[in-house]
Amino acid sequence: MNKSRDIVEFGDFQTPLNLAKQVALIAINSLGNIRTIIEPTCGLGTFIEALIEIETEFSRKNPTETSIKNIIGWEINPKYVEIVKNNLSVNNKKILISVEEQDFFQVNWSEINHQLQEPVLFIGNPPWVTNSELGKLLSKNLPEKSNFQKFTGFAAITGKSNFDISEWILTKICEQISHTNSAMAFLVKTSVARKVYQNICQNNLLISSMFIRKINAKKHFGVNVDACLFFAKGTTSIINEYLCPVYNSLKASKPCTTIGISKGKLISDIKVYKKLSDIDSGCEFKWRSGVKHDASKVMEFQVTTEGLLNGLGEIVELPDDYLYPMYKSSDISQQELQSPTRKMLITQENIGDDTQNIIKWSEKTWEYLILNSKYFDARKSSIYKYAPRFSIFGVGDYTFKPWKIAISSLYKNIKFTKIGLFQNKPIVLDDTCYMLGFDLEKEADLIFQILTSDIASNFINSLVFKDNKRTITVSLLNRISLRSIALRLGLDTDFERCFFVDSK
Ligand SMILES: C[S@@+](CC[C@H](N)C(=O)[O-])C[C@H]1O[C@@H](n2cnc3c(N)ncnc32)[C@H](O)[C@@H]1O
């Protein structure tokens, strides 16, 4: 089903009233005293309705008191503004409510700041859409680049090719609440909340009392996205440490983890990380990606009883000289590693090697490459542009090491696998895997023991965010000091002897 243009362009998921009410109550209780509330992208006004209900219930119990004095709603869609205005005319007269057609990216903040009574609570559910999704529609619903760069913290965002519109909106609001008693409470993708948190830390904004409370976006909005309520409150005091507890739900009484920041990087469980932070000092070996060729139809073969079957469905006759047994992510992530059932054509031993030599050593392989050259010549990535024809990447002496420790970049479970030779040939990995290569089995065994220890697993889990598209990245692996883990495991002598003292 095609998403409607409004949903794509304006990230238009209206919040159900009961969810808006729960969020508003949490925000009001967390902020305490509130004079003004701004819903910057108010849509059909659910948050405004929720706030009025809360205030009405409050004044019924406390007839002489009103806490919220003023509610302001902004919305880009004039139809929505009209609907909200019509609905409001019958509502509460104690609170001053104004709903205006307003593009958030055109707000005159200096004028607004003069008029507002503090503390302000910014609340709502900003559009769930990225600038590149908008770009596809040539939408104008984007912040002006010139404005964009004036604000601290935005440089990081503008430099990126893709960011969520809500990230920009929240970052702008962070600047409004920093160094004040105001606060914000927004429903956003959890990944956006983390980016905003990181931005707050990196720019040393005076914002504290942050938290993330996860929500069930499938239940409330019918979308499979990790989403949350992100709350943050301005302060005038110096901040010693930026912390952001994460709760599994709106109602959970205890956080399941606390996000922190170390060396400018986000940490998913700062308490565990602090206990193991010596491990975050760099890997003694270089983690590598598997082989990249962007031509799996003709470079990878299933071994069948009839022969080698390529991705075009052809049985091909190829000598073994340039063929290597291979594993993909799905193979190395299995509970029990099976023997390889696929082969990969490896055209170079090192990046940039002359591929013309293949004709000399293996005429049949060369004929096959020429026959299928259109698949190689059509490869889009710029890396192939000035490289020899039939080039591959992610290849070097490590590719041909007999022993490997590998992990998938695609799967959420953190599983290291030890790989040896198959039919006397090194097994190669595709580019969805990361690996370390070793000459000796005992070296691979030691590294496997280190990486599969509870200490390694706790450390890695303290760094990764399982809801990120990629949990394991090569930069994460290259942060892990295997020596530090070995030391903690009492394997330091073995480690030094194996790799750094010549005793082979
Ligand atoms: C995810 S919906 C949420 C609506 C409302 N906040 C709620 O919680 O029900 C996002 C709203 O933002 C509005 N919007 C999108 N871009 C905007 C902009 N630049 N300025 C103001 N509102 C905008 C959309 O029209 C849409 O109503």
Side-chain angles (χ1 to χ4, degrees):
M1 196 177 74
N2 270 344
K3 282 196 260 179
S4 83
R5 188 180 162 113
D6 272 0
I7 290 197
V8 179
E9 184 170 356
F10 297 105
D12 192 350
F13 293 96
Q14 304 294 318
T15 313
L17 182 62
N18 70 341
L19 175 62
K21 219 170 153 184
Q22 281 187 71
V23 168
L25 270 173
I26 294 173
I28 290 169
N29 291 336
S30 308
L31 180 56
N33 179 26
I34 302 171
R35 305 287 288 186
T36 309
I37 294 190
I38 299 184
E39 211 303 24
T41 59
C42 72
L44 287 167
T46 323
F47 272 95
I48 300 179
E49 201 183 331
L51 289 160
I52 295 170
E53 279 191 18
I54 292 170
E55 183 58 31
T56 312
E57 282 161 25
F58 175 81
S59 24
R60 206 178 295 135
K61 288 181 201 150
N62 313 275
T64 53
E65 286 176 57
T66 339
S67 64
I68 308 165
K69 300 273 184 279
N70 190 2
I71 299 179
I72 298 168
W74 296 327
E75 168 57 48
I76 202 167
N77 184 339
K79 281 188 226 143
Y80 287 173
V81 174
E82 208 183 308
I83 296 171
V84 183
K85 279 186 169 170
N86 285 341
N87 289 347
L88 285 178
S89 54
V90 289
N91 260 313
N92 193 309
K93 296 276 180 294
K94 278 189 176 174
I95 315 168
L96 187 64
I97 302 173
S98 76
V99 176
E100 302 298 333
E101 183 183 332
Q102 171 72 59
D103 177 352
F104 181 85
F105 301 123
Q106 304 296 330
V107 169
N108 182 340
W109 289 100
S110 47
E111 200 177 290
I112 295 276
N113 287 339
H114 273 108
Q115 293 164 4
L116 290 183
Q117 282 191 52
E118 283 189 15
V120 182
L121 171 65
F122 292 89
I123 193 169
N125 173 10
W128 295 27
V129 68
T130 61
N131 64 327
S132 71
E133 279 169 309
L134 288 185
K136 283 185 214 142
L137 284 161
L138 296 175
S139 167
K140 296 260 183 306
N141 190 19
L142 281 171
E144 261 181 51
K145 280 260 167 177
S146 55
N147 278 343
F148 222 55
Q149 278 144 351
K150 281 188 204 154
F151 307 115
T152 40
F154 287 158
I157 297 175
T158 47
K160 283 187 264 169
S161 58
N162 199 15
F163 59 89
D164 281 83
I165 299 302
S166 54
E167 185 183 341
W168 194 90
I169 293 179
L170 264 63
T171 304
K172 180 65 202 141
I173 292 173
C174 282
E175 292 177 2
Q176 290 301 306
I177 64 170
S178 173
H179 213 294
T180 71
N181 293 318
S182 298
M184 67 177 184
F186 285 102
L187 292 176
V188 282
K189 290 186 208 164
T190 314
S191 58
V192 168
R194 288 200 293 263
K195 283 185 199 147
V196 175
Y197 163 77
Q198 192 169 14
N199 188 58
I200 290 170
C201 309
Q202 278 168 352
N203 290 289
N204 295 318
L205 297 183
L206 288 186
I207 292 179
S208 64
S209 312
M210 288 178 269
F211 61 77
I212 285 175
R213 282 186 175 272
K214 294 188 184 175
I215 61 157
N216 184 341
K218 179 85 192 143
K219 179 177 145 202
H220 296 299
F221 299 102
V223 284
N224 266 327
V225 179
D226 280 291
C228 68
L229 159 64
F230 178 61
F231 179 87
K233 185 174 173 302
T235 174
T236 46
S237 320
I238 301 291
I239 291 164
N240 294 325
E241 190 181 14
Y242 288 99
L243 293 174
C244 182
V246 180
Y247 297 82
N248 266 335
S249 71
L250 290 177
K251 291 191 176 138
S253 55
K254 279 191 189 143
C256 55
T257 180
T258 299
I259 297 179
I261 201 135
S262 174
K263 302 175 194 165
K265 296 215 165 74
L266 274 182
I267 307 292
S268 70
D269 189 334
I270 194 75
K271 286 183 189 153
V272 173
Y273 173 86
K274 276 184 183 168
K275 289 185 199 144
L276 301 172
S277 62
D278 54 290
I279 300 170
D280 194 5
S281 51
C283 187
E284 292 72 17
F285 311 100
K286 193 167 178 194
W287 283 90
R288 307 282 189 167
S289 293
V291 180
K292 179 176 172 62
H293 49 61
D294 290 300
S296 56
K297 279 197 173 131
V298 289
M299 289 290 266
E300 292 176 11
F301 309 88
Q302 188 74 44
V303 182
T304 71
T305 44
E306 274 119 82
L308 294 174
L309 179 69
N310 70 11
L312 301 169
E314 302 162 343
I315 295 285
V316 296
E317 238 181 77
L318 276 176
D320 227 23
D321 21 12
Y322 284 83
L323 289 174
Y324 287 81
M326 71 163 279
Y327 280 138
K328 287 170 170 298
S329 268
S330 51
D331 302 316
I332 61 164
S333 299
Q334 274 180 27
Q335 221 26 274
E336 247 177 67
L337 191 67
Q338 307 294 319
S339 298
T341 57
R342 273 181 276 256
K343 292 192 178 187
M344 192 192 286
L345 193 54
I346 299 287
T347 52
Q348 292 162 308
E349 284 182 4
N350 289 292
I351 290 174
D353 278 357
D354 187 1
T355 48
Q356 282 285 338
N357 287 334
I358 300 173
I359 197 169
K360 276 195 241 155
W361 307 114
S362 180
E363 217 173 304
K364 280 215 153 189
T365 305
W366 183 254
E367 274 170 22
Y368 175 81
L369 290 170
I370 293 292
L371 190 71
N372 292 292
S373 53
K374 65 175 180 193
Y375 296 100
F376 295 93
D377 298 343
R379 294 183 294 180
K380 288 206 180 73
S381 171
S382 58
I383 54 171
Y384 300 110
K385 206 168 168 190
Y386 300 107
R389 212 175 180 193
F390 313 121
S391 273
I392 57 179
F393 284 83
V395 70
D397 61 346
Y398 52 90
T399 312
F400 306 98
K401 294 276 180 192
W403 296 96
K404 295 182 175 103
I405 299 297
I407 186 164
S408 158
S409 70
L410 297 183
Y411 290 77
K412 301 279 173 202
N413 62 334
I414 297 159
K415 182 175 183 298
F416 293 96
T417 301
K418 181 185 128 188
I419 295 169
L421 294 172
F422 182 64
Q423 295 169 347
N424 264 330
K425 273 198 143 179
I427 299 172
V428 300
L429 296 153
D430 78 0
D431 63 348
T432 64
C433 307
Y434 300 122
M435 54 146 285
L436 289 175
F438 300 100
D439 291 318
L440 303 176
E441 183 172 15
K442 67 170 185 179
E443 295 172 335
D445 278 336
L446 182 60
I447 297 304
F448 184 73
Q449 192 183 350
I450 290 172
L451 283 170
T452 52
S453 66
D454 285 348
I455 292 174
S457 147
N458 290 343
F459 177 70
I460 296 170
N461 278 313
S462 80
L463 293 183
V464 300
F465 293 93
K466 292 261 165 92
D467 57 355
N468 272 351
K469 203 167 162 204
R470 292 278 158 106
T471 307
I472 295 292
T473 62
V474 77
S475 56
L476 177 129
L477 293 166
N478 279 321
R479 280 168 76 173
I480 306 170
S481 164
L482 301 172
R483 177 178 276 130
S484 301
I485 304 175
L487 186 65
R488 283 170 171 269
L489 293 171
L491 294 171
D492 44 327
T493 314
D494 295 0
F495 185 81
E496 300 306 327
R497 220 180 268 149
C498 217
F499 299 107
F500 298 101
V501 180
D502 202 4
S503 67
K504 294 172 196 168

PDB file of all heavy atoms in Angstrom, residues 1 11 50 54 62-63 68 100 135 145 167 175 204 217 229 250 265 306 401 419 435 465:
ATOM      1  N   MET A   1       0.842  -1.207   0.000  1.00  0.00           N
ATOM      2  CA  MET A   1       0.000   0.000   0.000  1.00  0.00           C
ATOM      3  C   MET A   1       0.880   1.262   0.000  1.00  0.00           C
ATOM      4  O   MET A   1       1.831   1.354   0.757  1.00  0.00           O
ATOM      5  CB  MET A   1      -0.883  -0.003   1.253  1.00  0.00           C
ATOM      6  CG  MET A   1      -2.015   0.967   1.154  1.00  0.00           C
ATOM      7  SD  MET A   1      -3.098   0.874   2.612  1.00  0.00           S
ATOM      8  CE  MET A   1      -2.113   1.669   3.851  1.00  0.00           C
ATOM      9  N   GLY A  11       5.264  13.572   7.733  1.00  0.00           N
ATOM     10  CA  GLY A  11       5.471  12.586   8.791  1.00  0.00           C
ATOM     11  C   GLY A  11       4.250  12.507   9.685  1.00  0.00           C
ATOM     12  O   GLY A  11       4.333  12.481  10.906  1.00  0.00           O
ATOM     13  N   ALA A  50      -5.436  16.643  25.239  1.00  0.00           N
ATOM     14  CA  ALA A  50      -4.997  15.900  26.425  1.00  0.00           C
ATOM     15  C   ALA A  50      -4.653  16.860  27.558  1.00  0.00           C
ATOM     16  O   ALA A  50      -5.026  16.633  28.723  1.00  0.00           O
ATOM     17  CB  ALA A  50      -3.784  15.044  26.071  1.00  0.00           C
ATOM     18  N   ILE A  54      -6.325  17.193  31.267  1.00  0.00           N
ATOM     19  CA  ILE A  54      -5.528  17.073  32.498  1.00  0.00           C
ATOM     20  C   ILE A  54      -5.770  18.295  33.390  1.00  0.00           C
ATOM     21  O   ILE A  54      -5.985  18.183  34.592  1.00  0.00           O
ATOM     22  CB  ILE A  54      -4.019  16.925  32.166  1.00  0.00           C
ATOM     23  CG1 ILE A  54      -3.777  15.580  31.491  1.00  0.00           C
ATOM     24  CG2 ILE A  54      -3.154  17.078  33.411  1.00  0.00           C
ATOM     25  CD1 ILE A  54      -2.387  15.408  30.902  1.00  0.00           C
ATOM     26  N   ASN A  62      -8.663  20.955  42.511  1.00  0.00           N
ATOM     27  CA  ASN A  62      -8.103  22.150  43.167  1.00  0.00           C
ATOM     28  C   ASN A  62      -8.761  23.389  42.576  1.00  0.00           C
ATOM     29  O   ASN A  62      -8.156  24.094  41.767  1.00  0.00           O
ATOM     30  CB  ASN A  62      -6.586  22.232  42.925  1.00  0.00           C
ATOM     31  CG  ASN A  62      -5.888  20.921  43.185  1.00  0.00           C
ATOM     32  OD1 ASN A  62      -5.536  20.617  44.306  1.00  0.00           O
ATOM     33  ND2 ASN A  62      -5.705  20.140  42.135  1.00  0.00           N
ATOM     34  N   PRO A  63     -10.015  23.668  42.949  1.00  0.00           N
ATOM     35  CA  PRO A  63     -10.815  24.680  42.244  1.00  0.00           C
ATOM     36  C   PRO A  63     -10.185  26.074  42.211  1.00  0.00           C
ATOM     37  O   PRO A  63     -10.434  26.842  41.287  1.00  0.00           O
ATOM     38  CB  PRO A  63     -12.131  24.704  43.026  1.00  0.00           C
ATOM     39  CG  PRO A  63     -12.069  23.599  44.006  1.00  0.00           C
ATOM     40  CD  PRO A  63     -10.710  23.044  44.067  1.00  0.00           C
ATOM     41  N   ILE A  68      -1.513  25.442  34.256  1.00  0.00           N
ATOM     42  CA  ILE A  68      -1.146  25.858  32.904  1.00  0.00           C
ATOM     43  C   ILE A  68      -1.897  27.141  32.550  1.00  0.00           C
ATOM     44  O   ILE A  68      -3.120  27.203  32.654  1.00  0.00           O
ATOM     45  CB  ILE A  68      -1.495  24.759  31.875  1.00  0.00           C
ATOM     46  CG1 ILE A  68      -0.892  23.420  32.312  1.00  0.00           C
ATOM     47  CG2 ILE A  68      -1.045  25.139  30.491  1.00  0.00           C
ATOM     48  CD1 ILE A  68      -1.454  22.228  31.581  1.00  0.00           C
ATOM     49  N   GLU A 100      -2.018  28.299  15.663  1.00  0.00           N
ATOM     50  CA  GLU A 100      -1.708  29.098  14.472  1.00  0.00           C
ATOM     51  C   GLU A 100      -1.134  28.223  13.375  1.00  0.00           C
ATOM     52  O   GLU A 100      -0.452  27.241  13.655  1.00  0.00           O
ATOM     53  CB  GLU A 100      -0.633  30.158  14.799  1.00  0.00           C
ATOM     54  CG  GLU A 100      -0.966  31.124  15.902  1.00  0.00           C
ATOM     55  CD  GLU A 100      -2.183  31.979  15.572  1.00  0.00           C
ATOM     56  OE1 GLU A 100      -2.449  32.192  14.370  1.00  0.00           O
ATOM     57  OE2 GLU A 100      -2.882  32.399  16.514  1.00  0.00           O
ATOM     58  N   GLY A 135      13.259  14.705   0.286  1.00  0.00           N
ATOM     59  CA  GLY A 135      13.960  15.089  -0.940  1.00  0.00           C
ATOM     60  C   GLY A 135      13.368  14.378  -2.143  1.00  0.00           C
ATOM     61  O   GLY A 135      13.200  14.968  -3.212  1.00  0.00           O
ATOM     62  N   LYS A 145      18.864  26.074   4.783  1.00  0.00           N
ATOM     63  CA  LYS A 145      20.270  25.778   5.079  1.00  0.00           C
ATOM     64  C   LYS A 145      20.935  26.944   5.799  1.00  0.00           C
ATOM     65  O   LYS A 145      21.707  26.755   6.719  1.00  0.00           O
ATOM     66  CB  LYS A 145      21.038  25.473   3.795  1.00  0.00           C
ATOM     67  CG  LYS A 145      20.808  24.063   3.325  1.00  0.00           C
ATOM     68  CD  LYS A 145      21.963  23.155   3.703  1.00  0.00           C
ATOM     69  CE  LYS A 145      21.520  21.720   3.482  1.00  0.00           C
ATOM     70  NZ  LYS A 145      22.468  20.720   3.707  1.00  0.00           N
ATOM     71  N   GLU A 167      14.808  15.381  14.405  1.00  0.00           N
ATOM     72  CA  GLU A 167      16.107  15.625  15.041  1.00  0.00           C
ATOM     73  C   GLU A 167      16.411  17.127  14.991  1.00  0.00           C
ATOM     74  O   GLU A 167      16.873  17.721  15.965  1.00  0.00           O
ATOM     75  CB  GLU A 167      17.181  14.823  14.299  1.00  0.00           C
ATOM     76  CG  GLU A 167      18.554  14.907  14.930  1.00  0.00           C
ATOM     77  CD  GLU A 167      19.611  14.150  14.127  1.00  0.00           C
ATOM     78  OE1 GLU A 167      19.255  13.275  13.299  1.00  0.00           O
ATOM     79  OE2 GLU A 167      20.796  14.451  14.308  1.00  0.00           O
ATOM     80  N   GLU A 175      18.144  24.174  22.237  1.00  0.00           N
ATOM     81  CA  GLU A 175      18.794  25.478  22.419  1.00  0.00           C
ATOM     82  C   GLU A 175      17.879  26.453  23.148  1.00  0.00           C
ATOM     83  O   GLU A 175      18.350  27.340  23.857  1.00  0.00           O
ATOM     84  CB  GLU A 175      19.190  26.044  21.065  1.00  0.00           C
ATOM     85  CG  GLU A 175      20.288  25.213  20.475  1.00  0.00           C
ATOM     86  CD  GLU A 175      20.690  25.645  19.108  1.00  0.00           C
ATOM     87  OE1 GLU A 175      20.144  26.642  18.606  1.00  0.00           O
ATOM     88  OE2 GLU A 175      21.545  24.975  18.524  1.00  0.00           O
ATOM     89  N   ASN A 204      27.637  20.715  25.192  1.00  0.00           N
ATOM     90  CA  ASN A 204      27.616  21.129  26.604  1.00  0.00           C
ATOM     91  C   ASN A 204      26.408  21.997  26.931  1.00  0.00           C
ATOM     92  O   ASN A 204      26.530  23.019  27.628  1.00  0.00           O
ATOM     93  CB  ASN A 204      28.888  21.897  26.967  1.00  0.00           C
ATOM     94  CG  ASN A 204      30.097  21.019  26.871  1.00  0.00           C
ATOM     95  OD1 ASN A 204      30.051  19.860  27.286  1.00  0.00           O
ATOM     96  ND2 ASN A 204      31.153  21.528  26.276  1.00  0.00           N
ATOM     97  N   ALA A 217       5.241   1.498  19.248  1.00  0.00           N
ATOM     98  CA  ALA A 217       4.795   2.260  18.064  1.00  0.00           C
ATOM     99  C   ALA A 217       3.877   1.426  17.177  1.00  0.00           C
ATOM    100  O   ALA A 217       3.013   1.968  16.492  1.00  0.00           O
ATOM    101  CB  ALA A 217       6.010   2.734  17.264  1.00  0.00           C
ATOM    102  N   LEU A 229       9.345   8.202  24.312  1.00  0.00           N
ATOM    103  CA  LEU A 229       9.155   9.560  24.816  1.00  0.00           C
ATOM    104  C   LEU A 229      10.536  10.028  25.261  1.00  0.00           C
ATOM    105  O   LEU A 229      11.196   9.361  26.069  1.00  0.00           O
ATOM    106  CB  LEU A 229       8.198   9.538  26.011  1.00  0.00           C
ATOM    107  CG  LEU A 229       8.273  10.760  26.942  1.00  0.00           C
ATOM    108  CD1 LEU A 229       7.857  12.029  26.215  1.00  0.00           C
ATOM    109  CD2 LEU A 229       7.371  10.556  28.168  1.00  0.00           C
ATOM    110  N   LEU A 250       6.264   3.391  29.341  1.00  0.00           N
ATOM    111  CA  LEU A 250       5.893   4.672  29.969  1.00  0.00           C
ATOM    112  C   LEU A 250       5.694   4.495  31.464  1.00  0.00           C
ATOM    113  O   LEU A 250       5.863   5.427  32.240  1.00  0.00           O
ATOM    114  CB  LEU A 250       4.610   5.218  29.333  1.00  0.00           C
ATOM    115  CG  LEU A 250       4.741   5.727  27.886  1.00  0.00           C
ATOM    116  CD1 LEU A 250       3.396   6.176  27.349  1.00  0.00           C
ATOM    117  CD2 LEU A 250       5.753   6.855  27.773  1.00  0.00           C
ATOM    118  N   LYS A 265      31.554   9.360  22.350  1.00  0.00           N
ATOM    119  CA  LYS A 265      30.738   8.299  21.747  1.00  0.00           C
ATOM    120  C   LYS A 265      29.627   7.860  22.696  1.00  0.00           C
ATOM    121  O   LYS A 265      29.811   7.829  23.913  1.00  0.00           O
ATOM    122  CB  LYS A 265      31.610   7.097  21.403  1.00  0.00           C
ATOM    123  CG  LYS A 265      32.647   7.419  20.348  1.00  0.00           C
ATOM    124  CD  LYS A 265      32.863   6.203  19.450  1.00  0.00           C
ATOM    125  CE  LYS A 265      33.587   6.536  18.170  1.00  0.00           C
ATOM    126  NZ  LYS A 265      35.014   6.794  18.345  1.00  0.00           N
ATOM    127  N   GLU A 306      25.313 -31.367  -9.761  1.00  0.00           N
ATOM    128  CA  GLU A 306      25.573 -31.212 -11.205  1.00  0.00           C
ATOM    129  C   GLU A 306      26.784 -30.342 -11.499  1.00  0.00           C
ATOM    130  O   GLU A 306      27.255 -30.264 -12.607  1.00  0.00           O
ATOM    131  CB  GLU A 306      24.360 -30.573 -11.903  1.00  0.00           C
ATOM    132  CG  GLU A 306      23.302 -31.554 -12.316  1.00  0.00           C
ATOM    133  CD  GLU A 306      21.993 -31.254 -11.629  1.00  0.00           C
ATOM    134  OE1 GLU A 306      21.278 -30.389 -12.114  1.00  0.00           O
ATOM    135  OE2 GLU A 306      21.730 -31.877 -10.574  1.00  0.00           O
ATOM    136  N   LYS A 401      44.360 -16.188   5.020  1.00  0.00           N
ATOM    137  CA  LYS A 401      44.828 -16.806   6.272  1.00  0.00           C
ATOM    138  C   LYS A 401      44.001 -18.065   6.517  1.00  0.00           C
ATOM    139  O   LYS A 401      42.778 -18.070   6.304  1.00  0.00           O
ATOM    140  CB  LYS A 401      44.632 -15.850   7.458  1.00  0.00           C
ATOM    141  CG  LYS A 401      45.502 -14.601   7.392  1.00  0.00           C
ATOM    142  CD  LYS A 401      46.873 -14.869   7.940  1.00  0.00           C
ATOM    143  CE  LYS A 401      47.709 -13.605   7.869  1.00  0.00           C
ATOM    144  NZ  LYS A 401      49.122 -13.836   8.108  1.00  0.00           N
ATOM    145  N   ILE A 419      36.766 -20.182  12.119  1.00  0.00           N
ATOM    146  CA  ILE A 419      36.711 -20.821  10.805  1.00  0.00           C
ATOM    147  C   ILE A 419      38.099 -21.345  10.436  1.00  0.00           C
ATOM    148  O   ILE A 419      39.097 -20.643  10.625  1.00  0.00           O
ATOM    149  CB  ILE A 419      36.262 -19.785   9.741  1.00  0.00           C
ATOM    150  CG1 ILE A 419      34.833 -19.336  10.034  1.00  0.00           C
ATOM    151  CG2 ILE A 419      36.381 -20.337   8.333  1.00  0.00           C
ATOM    152  CD1 ILE A 419      34.413 -18.139   9.225  1.00  0.00           C
ATOM    153  N   MET A 435      36.176  -9.906   9.988  1.00  0.00           N
ATOM    154  CA  MET A 435      37.060 -11.021  10.376  1.00  0.00           C
ATOM    155  C   MET A 435      38.437 -10.570  10.836  1.00  0.00           C
ATOM    156  O   MET A 435      38.907  -9.486  10.512  1.00  0.00           O
ATOM    157  CB  MET A 435      37.223 -11.959   9.184  1.00  0.00           C
ATOM    158  CG  MET A 435      37.697 -11.233   7.926  1.00  0.00           C
ATOM    159  SD  MET A 435      38.783 -12.201   6.892  1.00  0.00           S
ATOM    160  CE  MET A 435      40.295 -12.175   7.776  1.00  0.00           C
ATOM    161  N   PHE A 465      23.692  -0.590  20.468  1.00  0.00           N
ATOM    162  CA  PHE A 465      22.251  -0.335  20.529  1.00  0.00           C
ATOM    163  C   PHE A 465      21.603  -1.335  19.571  1.00  0.00           C
ATOM    164  O   PHE A 465      21.774  -1.226  18.362  1.00  0.00           O
ATOM    165  CB  PHE A 465      21.947   1.108  20.126  1.00  0.00           C
ATOM    166  CG  PHE A 465      22.485   2.093  21.119  1.00  0.00           C
ATOM    167  CD1 PHE A 465      23.742   2.659  20.953  1.00  0.00           C
ATOM    168  CD2 PHE A 465      21.736   2.425  22.233  1.00  0.00           C
ATOM    169  CE1 PHE A 465      24.245   3.548  21.887  1.00  0.00           C
ATOM    170  CE2 PHE A 465      22.237   3.319  23.172  1.00  0.00           C
ATOM    171  CZ  PHE A 465      23.492   3.881  22.997  1.00  0.00           C
TER     172      PHE A 465
END
